[in-house]
Amino acid sequence: MLPLSSCLHSCICFYAVLLLVALLILYPRFVKMRRYRNQAAEADIPPGSCGLPLIGETIQFMAAMNNGRGFYDFVRARRLSRYGNCFKTNILGLPQVFVSSTESARKILNNESGKFTKRYIKSIAELVGDQSLLCASHGHHKLIRGCLSYLFSTSSVSVFIKQFDELVVKSLGSWQDGDKIVVLHQATEITFKAMCRMLMSLENEPELQMLQEDITHVCEAMLAFPIRLPWTRFYKGLKARKRIMSSLDLIMTERRRCSHGNQKDFMQCLLVEDEKAGSDETYRMTDTEIKDNILTMIIAGQDTTASAITWMVKYLGENQDVLDTLRAEQLHRAEKMSPGQFLTLEDLAEMPYASKVVKESLRMASVVPWFPRLALQDCEIEGFKIKKGWNVNVDATSIHLDPNQYNEPNKFNPSRFNDDSKAPYSFLAFGMGARTCLGVNMAKAMMLVFLHRLITTYKWKVMDSDSSIEKWTLFSRLKSGCPVQVTCINHGKDVTST
Ligand code: HEM
């Protein structure tokens, strides 16, 4: 028995070794074959890494959010050094494609043949409300946008410019010679007050302060994990939303009780329209739609504009030649105005160089870095297959910094907009297509008014040239807030004496 069992044992060992050797030889070939087969199957899928199972490249994305270069750095790193104009990744288990050519931007933002819809995250809808313009489905969005668009008419913008100028003059008038000012803080305060006044005539300081705190909670929660525990950012955001909704409810009830009051603000227009529409059977916005969209407009209009103003002041501080040209134009305009006069839409139309400064600042800053959409059907972008259900993001930042679109794209050069020869879809600061920013004219007007008052009243020196981006913000925001030291200039007219 023993010799037989020992013989059997040797035999097994021999075959085991043979199998192992065969495996060692064959395995690399097998892996190579499999990779080849996968490549063949995925040849027309955008290049990129899907990262780890389930979580994909979420950790790398979060790490980018946490570094001073901002979450766009995640995209920049992949696009520039690895994959090119179109790549695929996976964040939080969702396939994400980033595209950065003007042709793809046209296809996606124009929503050719209804292939794309706006992508929104469910937790964001809980915070801004599922009746918000940002989250509404295609058909519903059209109805609500129709009701809101007319609020942004030229006459509304004209009224708004005067109100905004009043606020800027008051705020800048309180600065003292030599003061250190954080531009972002000042701009945020002014734009917030302007939004609240335009939307619902809210001017009471304690109420404004409470609302501002709640809006900040909601914005912070929009980027947080949707965990509903009392100490989480998401939970605090939900609570803040609830308080905001209650306040809006109170204001609306009061307006109806006092048979509309005298206010000529957005809320009043929507309430009156609501009643008119009720009688002739056209579409009427419900109270929830009105409230969700008032909140949406505060969020969409305040931080974006304040961030854009801050970047603009920083770029100007770094580009003395541009500043000199701009100051000459603006002082000339100031001389044409009588003391105490507020700016008008017509005045702003007479500021060609300042308008280019605004446009160039928006291009360089790309305050909204990319626009998320959802593919509603299988389609093709940049020669790659896009599958139904994938998220496709139009990378506006890359387009704004593409040397094929803009010569020396990292140079702050407003004169590049001297002619109108830029390619379609190469300037996307306010988006394009059916989802174009509703407040585009107001945003530009706010930037021009702030610029005019700042440059005709003060000289300034940027105290911190750090370009780091703030962590965990929805929009590209300068971390330092752009602290400046201001010096009053006396050019013979006291525009702040109102
Ligand atoms: C410099 C300031 C601003 C910038 C850079 C900006 C940028 C944008 C962009 C890029 C979009 C489109 C996003 C997409 O397609 O996914 C958008 C949408 C929107 N913006 Fe602005 N915005 C600014 C100021 C404002 C202001 C002042 C308001 C209004 C009070 C406003 C209200 C809206 C609304 C309501 C939408 C949603 C439109 C829709 O989905 O139909 N924005 N904004």
Side-chain angles (χ1 to χ4, degrees), residues 87-110:
F87 72 88
K88 182 171 172 256
T89 178
N90 183 310
I91 301 167
L92 290 170
L94 299 170
Q96 300 278 351
V97 175
F98 284 84
V99 292
S100 50
S101 76
T102 49
E103 183 48 28
S104 321
R106 185 185 64 77
K107 273 189 178 173
I108 296 166
L109 300 179
N110 258 356

Side-chain angles (χ1 to χ4, degrees), residues 334-369:
E335 276 162 18
K336 295 196 163 178
M337 291 168 66
S338 5
Q341 183 193 330
F342 288 111
L343 287 161
T344 62
L345 190 59
E346 291 69 36
D347 289 322
L348 302 191
E350 297 293 320
M351 300 179 177
Y353 192 69
S355 301
K356 286 176 224 159
V357 167
V358 164
K359 198 165 179 185
E360 178 69 339
S361 306
L362 289 163
R363 177 191 72 83
M364 294 261 294
S366 295
V367 174
V368 182

Side-chain angles (χ1 to χ4, degrees), residues 109 118 133-135 141 145 148 152 160 195 198-199 266 293 296-298 300-306 308-309 362 366-368 370-373 428-432 434-440 442-444 446-447 475:
L109 300 179
K118 177 116 175 179
L133 204 54
L134 302 178
C135 310
H141 171 265
R145 192 166 164 120
L148 295 179
F152 293 86
F160 178 74
M195 288 292 121
M198 167 183 89
L199 293 168
F266 281 22
N293 285 290
T296 299
M297 285 187 271
I298 301 177
Q302 179 210 353
D303 248 7
T304 45
T305 315
I309 288 174
L362 289 163
S366 295
V367 174
V368 182
W370 66 72
F371 316 139
R373 297 292 186 269
L428 293 175
F430 295 103
M432 278 287 179
R435 298 283 186 155
T436 308
C437 176
L438 263 184
V440 47
M442 277 173 187
K444 285 186 196 165
M446 283 191 265
M447 292 177 76
F475 309 111

Side-chain angles (χ1 to χ4, degrees), residues 37 46 62 117 151 265 268 273 276 279 348-349 386 481 487:
R37 270 218 311 270
M62 294 294 173
T117 185
L151 299 175
D265 51 35
Q268 195 61 30
E273 265 317 293
K276 273 200 303 198
S279 53
L348 302 191
I386 303 293
T487 316

Side-chain angles (χ1 to χ4, degrees), residues 114-117 119 373-379 386-392:
K115 286 181 188 137
F116 297 94
T117 185
R119 165 81 204 177
R373 297 292 186 269
L374 179 73
L376 294 171
Q377 44 181 277
D378 290 356
C379 55
I386 303 293
K387 295 202 173 141
K388 181 180 168 182
W390 284 6
N391 300 296
V392 184

Side-chain angles (χ1 to χ4, degrees), residues 16 32 45 70 193 199 201 218 248 309 315 394 421 490:
K32 218 169 157 183
I45 297 289
K193 283 185 178 167
L199 293 168
S201 307
V218 172
L248 295 180
I309 288 174
Y315 295 140
V394 176
S421 63
N490 188 354

